[in-house]
Amino acid sequence: MAKFMDVHDGFFDVTAEQLNAEHDADLKIEGEEGVHFERAWLAPEAGKVFCLSTGPSKEAVMRVHERAGHPASQVFELTAEV
Amino acid sequence: MAKFMDVHDGFFDVTAEQLNAEHDADLKIEGEEGVHFERAWLAPEAGKVFCLSTGPSKEAVMRVHERAGHPASQVFELTAEV
């Protein structure tokens, strides 16, 4: 199991409620890909969302977001954290 | 007090020990700017570090990183999290 940070673009003027709804859409299907989205942070001025997850691969993380209707722009494997 | 995610570039092939050392350099001086760095994640294949912080402004966050010797490329104010 690895850890990932992915980044979404184009989330301008999104509200906390919308972020929750999008996150819930991920949570509903993530188990089918062996992924878990732990946290998500919204930066609506820049249109960005950052998601922290664990899963088997970058591809699995991206598949969950795609299937939930909000594909990510980038995903990075994390090797350390403090 | 607001919350921020900042992103560093160019951290290729950095180790967990080096990430810890850089983070400690932030922690030593962050109080002078009213900032606190809560977490940092390393993605050395892409040369990226993501830092989650609280503080009074983007400028204060950036000043701590600059003074610690590792300026960030981007900083985003976060308005919501899940």
Side-chain angles (χ1 to χ4, degrees), chain A residues 38-73:
Chain A
E38 296 183 3
R39 306 276 302 274
W41 296 272
L42 174 65
E45 245 185 52
K48 299 216 177 256
V49 173
F50 300 88
C51 299
L52 183 69
S53 65
T54 54
S57 67
K58 288 182 188 179
E59 290 72 21
V61 170
M62 294 302 250
R63 266 198 304 276
V64 176
H65 279 330
E66 277 162 24
R67 291 177 52 199
H70 46 242
S73 308

Side-chain angles (χ1 to χ4, degrees), chain A residues 2-56:
Chain A
K3 201 150 194 172
F4 303 93
M5 182 77 78
D6 67 73
V7 184
H8 300 258
D9 289 291
F11 275 65
F12 292 101
D13 302 322
V14 165
T15 65
E17 289 69 27
Q18 288 169 314
L19 178 70
N20 285 338
E22 299 287 352
H23 186 62
D24 285 347
D26 287 327
L27 296 184
K28 259 187 200 159
I29 60 168
E30 65 180 16
E32 297 165 23
E33 300 283 357
V35 171
H36 177 54
F37 286 97
E38 296 183 3
R39 306 276 302 274
W41 296 272
L42 174 65
E45 245 185 52
K48 299 216 177 256
V49 173
F50 300 88
C51 299
L52 183 69
S53 65
T54 54

Side-chain angles (χ1 to χ4, degrees), chain B residues 18-52:
Chain B
Q18 288 169 315
L19 178 70
N20 285 337
E22 299 287 353
H23 185 63
D24 285 345
D26 287 327
L27 297 184
K28 259 188 200 159
I29 60 168
E30 64 180 17
E32 297 164 23
E33 301 283 356
V35 171
H36 177 54
F37 287 97
E38 295 182 6
R39 306 275 304 271
W41 296 273
L42 174 65
E45 246 185 52
K48 299 219 178 252
V49 173
F50 299 89
C51 299
L52 184 68

